[in-house]
Amino acid sequence: MLGDVLTVWLQRCDAVVFDLDKLNVFVGLGLIGSVMMLCVYRARRGGARFIRAVPGLQAVDDALGRAAELGRPVLFTTGLYGVDDVATLAGLNILGHLASRSAHYDSDLLVPCANPVVMTVAQELVKERLTQAGYPERYRADTIYFITDEQFAYASAVCGLMQRERPAAAFYLGSFAAESLLLAEAGADAGAIQVAGTADVSQIPFFIVACDYTLIGEELFAASAYLSRDALLLGSVKGQDLAKVLIIAALAAGVLLLCLDQFFGCHWGTWFASLFTVTEAL
Amino acid sequence: MRTTLPKILCIGCGIIMLLQFFVPLEFVQRDMLQWVNDSAIVVATFGLAIGLASLVHVHSARIRRRARGWGFSVVTLACAVVVAVIGLLKSDWGPVVAHSQRYDILPNGVTAGVIEVTHTLFGYQTETAFTNTLAAAALVPLQQRTVPMFDWFYNYIMYPLMSTVFALLAFYMMTAAYRAMRAKSWEAGLLLAAALIVLLGQVPVDQFVRLPAIDGMSLFEWLKLRILDYPNTAAKRSIIIGVALGGLATSIKILTGIEKPYLGGRG
């Protein structure tokens, strides 16, 4: 209905300024975005701020404390990808918290980077967080450095670093490919407490078997809210959960309607499924 | 200004990327997207210079301090210099490491490309790729050129080194599988059972042991497909939906300025 009205209106405009085949994507994006912003607004006004315990994030302080006790460094990597990757950005958000906490525990933080832009952002982020935490003198640019953007050259360099420096804690939070298991096994061999998190479904099993704690999928994106307890960030996590409830409701409705199609020969399920179909690949 | 301009640029570029998905106008689809992509290439190029500076700074400091493993830093810097110099050479400069000749074969009027490469450095033997050996007699050289030394280094030094590291994964997978498949709890036991069924489904067990067939497949292959198609796909999809929502939430937080990792968290 809405699509027909818009088509007529746009035909009058004599120019196609909106791809109507993607109207459902636009509506879905707007709906989920609105739910999230509403939750952020509520959180700003002092709404519910509960977030369930995430074992991998609860272990962060233990891992940093252990590094301080052993006098060994902490290793952090966001993986191979650049700042255009949303998981890398989520990893960088966590790096800020780790930097201030490791400074508090007086531990060295090593951040070998596979991307020079990520390295620059990481340096700025750590410098800013250390200044905010009251440890500006703890910032050392040479601990956040570029290695190479070649996948396995990077993996061997980080494995070698772990063999030499024997970090007490290793954090792999970002986007990873086949190098995930190489890094995690090298970290296990060095005796580090390992916390990993990635959005890549095919790499999660490798981290689960080789690391002590793994943030699965969306937990990586919620980590900065969990660690900072910032009201706005917690609000956005709440929004994510509400959006997930909407998606589960849509899935349940789709299953029910498709079952009704089978039993009564109607086409409600097919019509409902067509609402979520995108003609052009995303 | 130090924080406002990056915020404006970030939000502006985000809006352009959104627009190019929904607005089919040529100006948006081609020109604006091209501008954003070109800007990303410019930033990446400057980033490379910063990365190189960081590499030289960190490793030269390690050599100066005689830090533990400083010999590796010497090798790293030497390799960086050698590869950079080779990369800057023109393809016909420096020692000839290989020749390549391109031919076109014309069997019954059909044209097909053939590349013949003759390596001259370190005694590599001739490699010839024929797409049609019957027509080899009709080879007519069209082009003869010297293979750039950079390509030779990449193909015969860098690539084998990377393949070697990649091959280590097989051993790491075995040790990881050994750790994962210890039935310490009932969940781990369930995982072990599922893994064993999938492993048996991957190999032709029915050639050695007589097993019932279901839907034209051996028992373990049928079970493997059921495990992969239903519980495994359901679990993967739930993670994918969560990741998509998490990614969307992070994008919205960055676009609205709630989270600013690109500004070092300030602003």
Side-chain angles (χ1 to χ4, degrees):
Chain A
M1 180 70 83
L2 182 63
D4 294 340
V5 172
L6 269 172
T7 309
V8 171
W9 181 75
L10 288 171
Q11 276 168 353
R12 283 184 192 162
C13 289
D14 203 27
V16 181
V17 292
F18 188 89
D19 191 345
L20 287 175
D21 289 338
K22 294 171 183 167
L23 183 66
N24 51 0
V25 180
F26 185 76
V27 171
L29 205 62
L31 185 67
I32 293 172
S34 308
V35 167
M36 281 178 191
M37 291 314 292
L38 189 70
C39 289
V40 168
Y41 177 73
R42 277 197 61 210
R44 184 179 282 173
R45 293 172 65 92
R49 292 180 187 178
F50 171 78
I51 186 166
R52 75 172 168 85
V54 180
L57 298 172
Q58 280 182 319
V60 166
D61 267 0
D62 295 342
L64 295 176
R66 182 172 178 267
E69 278 171 17
L70 295 173
R72 279 157 47 181
V74 174
L75 184 130
F76 179 94
T77 171
T78 57
L80 289 176
Y81 298 88
V83 283
D84 53 341
D85 185 274
V86 75
T88 305
L89 285 173
L92 284 170
N93 278 329
I94 302 166
L95 172 64
H97 301 286
L98 285 181
S100 52
R101 296 303 294 162
S102 61
H104 177 73
Y105 285 107
D106 201 19
S107 303
D108 285 332
L109 180 66
L110 303 173
V111 188
C113 301
N115 184 294
V117 180
V118 170
M119 177 199 75
T120 314
V121 173
Q123 284 177 340
E124 278 295 305
L125 187 68
V126 170
K127 192 196 290 181
E128 190 66 26
R129 286 302 170 95
L130 290 179
T131 308
Q132 282 172 5
Y135 306 100
E137 75 287 351
R138 299 263 324 150
Y139 173 70
R140 281 171 50 204
D142 61 347
T143 56
I144 304 167
Y145 55 97
F146 173 70
I147 294 179
T148 173
D149 56 0
E150 286 288 345
Q151 182 183 21
F152 293 111
Y154 176 76
S156 3
V158 177
C159 291
L161 179 73
M162 286 200 265
Q163 283 295 315
R164 287 190 298 277
E165 302 291 338
R166 317 292 292 180
F171 295 90
Y172 315 108
L173 301 164
S175 269
F176 295 87
E179 77 284 357
S180 61
L181 190 59
L182 292 171
L183 301 179
E185 282 290 307
D189 192 43
I193 288 187
Q194 302 196 95
V195 180
T198 182
D200 191 325
V201 179
S202 56
Q203 302 307 321
I204 290 172
F206 293 131
F207 278 139
I208 287 175
V209 294
C211 294
D212 300 286
Y213 301 96
T214 307
L215 305 179
I216 297 174
E218 66 194 306
E219 287 177 345
L220 173 68
F221 300 104
S224 64
Y226 186 93
L227 291 169
S228 68
R229 301 280 161 176
D230 181 86
L232 300 186
L233 299 180
L234 287 173
S236 71
V237 175
K238 196 68 80 183
Q240 258 172 265
D241 285 349
L242 269 179
K244 212 185 298 176
V245 169
L246 289 178
I247 289 173
I248 290 168
L251 283 172
V255 169
L256 186 71
L257 289 173
L258 282 169
C259 289
L260 289 179
D261 281 6
Q262 289 290 316
F263 287 120
F264 301 110
C266 51
H267 299 290
W268 298 339
T270 320
W271 169 80
F272 191 69
S274 73
L275 292 179
F276 298 91
T277 308
V278 183
T279 47
E280 190 183 314
L282 287 173
Chain B
M1 194 62 184
R2 205 175 151 213
T3 55
T4 311
L5 188 63
K7 266 195 259 181
I8 292 170
L9 278 173
C10 176
I11 293 168
C13 290
I15 289 170
I16 289 173
M17 295 309 278
L18 262 180
L19 279 178
Q20 69 85 28
F21 183 75
F22 291 111
V23 178
L25 290 176
E26 199 180 348
F27 165 69
V28 178
Q29 291 277 334
R30 198 189 60 193
D31 299 342
M32 285 170 78
L33 189 63
Q34 186 66 41
W35 179 78
V36 171
N37 287 339
D38 287 348
S39 306
I41 291 169
V42 171
V43 170
T45 310
F46 278 104
L48 201 63
I50 294 169
L52 188 64
S54 160
L55 187 89
V56 172
H57 171 73
V58 168
H59 288 282
S60 54
R62 285 172 62 89
I63 294 167
R64 267 202 313 276
R65 289 201 313 266
R66 293 288 189 275
R68 194 157 43 130
W70 64 274
F72 296 116
S73 296
V74 174
V75 175
T76 305
L77 286 183
C79 288
V81 170
V82 169
V83 174
V85 169
I86 289 170
L88 290 171
L89 290 176
K90 274 188 175 178
S91 58
D92 53 347
W93 287 2
V96 176
V97 291
H99 292 293
S100 84
Q101 287 179 306
R102 188 173 171 277
Y103 301 91
D104 269 12
I105 316 169
L106 308 166
N108 305 323
V110 180
T111 307
V114 169
I115 296 172
E116 185 180 332
V117 182
T118 312
H119 296 276
T120 56
L121 195 68
F122 305 141
Y124 268 92
Q125 61 187 13
T126 305
E127 269 181 21
T128 313
F130 291 108
T131 50
N132 186 341
T133 47
L134 289 174
L139 286 176
V140 181
L142 286 181
Q143 190 187 1
Q144 194 163 7
R145 69 185 182 98
T146 303
V147 173
M149 207 166 162
F150 184 83
D151 290 5
W152 190 92
F153 261 84
Y154 191 85
N155 291 336
Y156 292 100
I157 296 180
M158 190 71 190
Y159 198 75
L161 283 173
M162 289 194 297
S163 304
T164 306
V165 177
F166 186 48
L168 287 174
L169 262 183
F171 300 99
Y172 284 144
M173 271 186 197
M174 280 191 64
T175 55
Y178 173 73
R179 278 206 299 272
M181 291 186 190
R182 280 181 295 187
K184 288 185 288 190
S185 59
W186 75 268
E187 292 102 330
L190 201 64
L191 181 70
L192 174 63
L196 281 176
I197 290 169
V198 172
L199 279 174
L200 288 170
Q202 289 288 100
V203 290
V205 185
D206 54 330
Q207 289 186 10
F208 303 100
V209 185
R210 196 171 174 82
L211 292 168
I214 307 171
D215 294 341
M217 288 178 272
S218 72
L219 176 68
F220 285 115
E221 197 182 349
W222 184 84
L223 283 171
K224 177 196 85 175
L225 287 178
R226 291 295 166 280
I227 290 172
L228 291 181
D229 286 352
Y230 299 108
N232 188 53
T233 305
K236 270 168 97 173
R237 282 185 184 164
S238 67
I239 294 174
I240 290 168
I241 290 172
V243 165
L245 280 173
L248 181 64
T250 306
S251 307
I252 290 173
K253 280 185 277 186
I254 290 169
L255 278 176
T256 52
I258 294 172
E259 224 166 22
K260 299 170 278 291
Y262 56 93
L263 285 177
R266 68 171 166 255

